[in-house]
Amino acid sequence: MESHAEWLAQVHEETLDPSLPIIDPHHHLWDFRKGAVDTRYFIHEFLKDAGTGHNIVASVFIECGTMFNADADPAFAVVGETEFVNGQAAMAASGGYGPTQVAAGIVGTAYLTQGASAGAVLDAQIAAGNGRFRGIRQAASWDASPEVENHRTEPMPDLYADAKFREGFAELAPRGLTFEAWCYHTQIPSLTRLAEAFPDTTIILDHFGGPIGVGPYADQKEAVFERWRESVTALARCPNVYAKLGGLAMEVNGFAWHERVKPPGSAEFMDAQKRYFEFTLEQFGVERCMFESNFPVDKLSVSYHVVWNAFKRLTSNYSADERARLFHGTAAEVYRLEHTLARDDGA
């Protein structure tokens, strides 16, 4: 039986603009992940994907529920993930694994539904990050249809409106922490209300706000896009919100590339989802957008090499300043990683 790696390897492409510096602001590191393309994805596996021709100077780890401390108080168990990732980041910082600063920024998690007491967990996360901790994600992705998979944490239907969640959310800004928003397109209006209520908290919209393309939405592609477009227009009016461009290669998005005999090349991959990219860029502008890989989750459908080639195709007519912003500048600003670019420039 053909392995997934062999399936992806059917597509061979020349690396476009190989010298362009890239900060990948969204990837995971884990082990024992049942059902994933890579059940184990550590620094070695990430660097194998990242080392296929593009100039990945740094990356940001995003929480994925891994390595929680089994012996800790349940509220503080999440700190184990940051401790684990910080160790992986220290390995990268040694220089022994190449120039890419893996997990130069760390986004962990905390249960904001615990209210103000979540502040103590945030402080523990900051300490465990050893200068790398940048924010948290507590996913809200939920849908009423049993055909749509909810987030592994089984969030309540309207997490962003919950009073205790908002009480915990209020603990982020005083610590200079960002919030990573992972929701479905039907929940974007609720995120907008959250952003309006907390204008001093930087919020990053993951994966375009998760347009659903399966279950009852499978034959509603145009209706989904129109509803998504209306919601994103309102969200973009919040100056504290940034957008990640990517993450549409998951099963829930309904493109079904993983079911094909051969995976898509970068041109086809981008053409199929181009309108989501173009509209988000139109609403947020390059100053508030950044490309993301969402690996190894999106590896279900496409290789790391093809993902970044697709982004480069989309921006082939953009100015050098616009491309710099999208491929590394916005991420460097939001996750405070300017030092990684300085080092890449020889400073």
Side-chain angles (χ1 to χ4, degrees), residues 71 143 196 261 264 287 297 329:
D71 295 327
D143 190 81
E196 291 170 340
V261 173
E287 295 298 314
V297 180

Side-chain angles (χ1 to χ4, degrees), residues 58-296:
S59 74
V60 178
F61 166 86
I62 305 296
E63 69 85 26
C64 53
T66 190
M67 304 296 177
F68 285 5
N69 189 334
D71 295 327
D73 177 286
F76 288 85
V78 297
V79 180
E81 180 173 58
T82 300
E83 293 172 334
F84 154 67
V85 176
N86 191 55
Q88 298 275 293
M91 291 169 65
S94 74
Y97 298 84
T100 303
Q101 295 300 295
V102 181
I106 298 173
V107 173
T109 193
Y111 305 121
L112 298 184
T113 43
Q114 294 173 333
S117 65
V121 179
L122 298 177
D123 291 337
Q125 289 280 39
I126 292 170
N130 193 33
R132 297 185 175 97
F133 197 78
R134 296 293 182 263
I136 75 133
R137 180 171 77 164
Q138 184 176 356
S141 46
W142 177 93
D143 190 81
S145 172
E147 297 178 78
V148 178
E149 185 177 3
N150 294 334
H151 191 259
R152 56 183 156 77
T153 57
E154 291 298 333
M156 62 182 70
D158 195 0
L159 178 68
Y160 297 145
D162 180 70
K164 291 296 286 185
F165 172 85
R166 289 191 168 205
E167 185 181 309
F169 193 92
E171 298 294 317
L172 296 173
R175 293 169 172 81
L177 296 177
T178 62
F179 180 76
E180 211 83 15
W182 174 209
C183 63
Y184 288 143
H185 75 277
T186 53
Q187 300 171 297
I188 295 175
S190 182
L191 176 63
T192 300
R193 291 188 289 272
L194 179 70
E196 291 170 340
F198 294 90
D200 295 330
T201 303
T202 296
I203 296 172
I204 302 100
L205 178 69
D206 289 351
H207 320 326
F208 293 103
I212 307 172
V214 297
Y217 305 92
D219 60 352
Q220 301 291 322
K221 286 183 170 50
E222 294 306 316
V224 167
F225 181 74
E226 289 304 317
R227 182 175 180 181
W228 170 86
R229 186 167 67 171
E230 180 180 346
S231 298
V232 164
T233 299
L235 179 64
R237 297 191 189 109
C238 301
N240 56 320
V241 179
Y242 291 73
K244 283 182 175 173
L245 311 181
L248 291 184
M250 295 179 282
E251 188 171 354
V252 71
N253 302 122
F255 290 99
W257 286 303
H258 63 290
E259 297 177 358
R260 298 181 5 170
V261 173
K262 185 177 180 179
S266 58
E268 181 189 2
F269 183 68
M270 179 49 64
D271 285 346
Q273 50 190 321
K274 191 174 184 178
R275 59 181 178 174
Y276 283 99
F277 285 80
E278 291 183 334
F279 189 78
T280 303
L281 281 163
E282 177 186 314
Q283 296 301 309
F284 283 86
V286 298
E287 295 298 314
R288 290 194 288 147
C289 288
M290 64 188 103
F291 291 123
E292 58 158 327
S293 75
N294 191 35
F295 257 55

